[in-house]
Amino acid sequence: MDATYDAWAGPTVGDLGELAVLDRIVRRLPAGTPVLGPGDDCAVVSAPDGRFVVTTDMMVHGPDFRWAWSSPEDVGWKAVATNLSDVAAMGAVPTGLVIALAAPQGTPVAVLESFADGVRVAVDALAPTCGVVGGDLSTSATFTVSVTAFGDLEGRAPVVRSGARPGDVLAVSGELGAAARGLTRLFREGVDEHGEPSRAAAVASGADGDPDVARQRRPVPPIADGPLAAGAGATAMLDLSDGLAIDAGRLARASGVTLSLEADLDDIALHGGEDHGLLATFPADSALPGGFRRIGVVRDRSEAYLVHGTTPVPTTGWDPYADWDGAAG
């Protein structure tokens, strides 16, 4: 086991109480540059554009992560990355995070400290001008994280899902299918003889060192490509959180168009989620910015929202209500 798993030793949150726990966490978090940071009832952040984008996302032990497969630092990273990608998908630059944690009473304080370390390293790597400006602590039978992220449009119009037009180029930035391949391998090889998630089994099988497993634990969304896409005239954009097919269907429905795929993509690239890349449409004469690459074109609305050639592609992917039954939580 790696060193981060030492986080499961030492005094618990119940032993120390909220004030001491909060002090240990806050000192590890990236501060950013708010007008007024943590310590009062609200933070004060600037909005130079006069507008800001805001998004929120939850991560719950069981459907969203497993301690058997992820360290607390991994979970901190992932909680940040999944929210920053939503900000980028609007064409904005991330500026602030508010993080709420609910942990069982017996959770070692070091787990929360390691989680905070994951937040810090993720912000440093993905959005170094961003910071944590506030949050909350509570207790729950299930470890739960809620992150709210803010972003600055810097004078640009937000890039929404409803702007795609026939003739636009369909493009993607970031990996497709890596996180889903990693999760598939963990469910196949990272389990014990009873079918329960097992870090030891993941290590023994080699799954623990798989680059796809690393992407499942710590997605690397192309944050900088969001503002670049906005500057290049992107007509529509969204974060690929639940899988290319289901998210493409969302964009097509919002825009009233059909998306026609030209790239040959396997099932896991189409329907696997949690890569947190960006899907965008651009005018046909645009030079694609950053890491964007063409995968198709926007067509007039037909019977299907997503097609490959003339073949309809099911717009399905991750659905927490349809795909999660709590059996392995």
Side-chain angles (χ1 to χ4, degrees):
M1 292 187 179
D2 59 44
T4 57
Y5 276 72
D6 291 339
W8 291 97
T12 68
V13 295
D15 293 333
L16 295 188
E18 181 180 12
L19 290 179
V21 172
L22 187 61
D23 180 63
R24 290 192 179 203
I25 295 171
V26 169
R27 71 178 67 168
R28 309 174 89 93
L29 294 173
T33 56
V35 177
L36 181 67
D40 284 88
D41 290 316
C42 291
V44 179
V45 296
S46 61
D49 179 78
R51 305 165 297 171
F52 61 88
V53 300
V54 60
T55 184
T56 191
D57 194 38
M58 293 179 67
M59 287 179 53
V60 181
H61 182 254
D64 298 311
F65 68 93
R66 311 291 176 96
W67 288 131
W69 292 334
S70 296
S71 71
E73 190 169 303
D74 292 334
V75 175
W77 175 293
K78 191 170 186 176
V80 167
T82 57
N83 280 271
L84 294 181
S85 63
D86 283 333
V87 171
M90 298 295 290
V93 175
T95 56
L97 300 168
V98 176
I99 302 178
L101 290 174
Q105 287 278 357
T107 304
V109 177
V111 168
L112 273 61
E113 292 178 313
S114 182
F115 172 91
D117 289 339
V119 169
R120 186 185 67 253
V121 296
V123 168
D124 287 348
L126 301 173
T129 60
C130 189
V132 177
V133 299
D136 191 28
L137 292 177
S138 188
T139 186
S140 170
T142 302
F143 195 97
T144 302
V145 183
S146 179
V147 179
T148 299
F150 301 88
D152 180 9
L153 289 164
E154 298 183 326
R156 296 179 294 270
V159 186
V160 295
R161 300 180 182 187
S162 57
R165 297 293 179 263
D168 286 351
V169 170
L170 180 67
V172 68
S173 177
E175 297 181 90
L176 292 176
R181 287 193 301 269
L183 187 61
T184 298
R185 184 167 185 186
L186 285 172
F187 271 111
R188 185 178 64 241
E189 301 173 21
V191 294
D192 62 19
E193 64 273 19
H194 305 295
E196 296 296 321
S198 165
R199 176 80 172 198
V203 171
S205 69
D208 201 57
D210 187 335
D212 289 338
V213 171
R215 281 294 179 262
Q216 163 60 218
R217 290 171 173 155
R218 299 192 183 197
V220 185
I223 304 302
D225 279 357
L228 286 178
T235 53
M237 185 160 54
L238 83 172
D239 159 57
L240 292 173
S241 56
D242 298 327
L244 174 63
I246 191 171
D247 289 324
R250 289 166 175 153
L251 190 151
R253 278 190 292 274
S255 294
V257 297
T258 287
L259 303 181
S260 178
L261 294 173
E262 299 167 341
D264 291 321
L265 302 171
D266 62 20
D267 185 71
I268 203 161
L270 280 170
H271 302 290
E274 296 193 291
D275 284 316
H276 296 285
L278 297 173
L279 182 69
T281 57
F282 297 87
D285 58 354
S286 296
L288 296 182
F292 278 97
R293 59 195 184 276
R294 178 174 175 143
I295 61 168
V297 67
V298 181
R299 304 290 189 195
D300 288 320
R301 176 80 175 91
S302 61
E303 186 175 345
Y305 284 114
L306 183 64
V307 297
H308 184 259
T310 59
T311 304
V313 178
T315 53
T316 56
W318 166 249
D319 180 333
Y321 295 106
D323 300 335
W324 168 249
D325 61 10

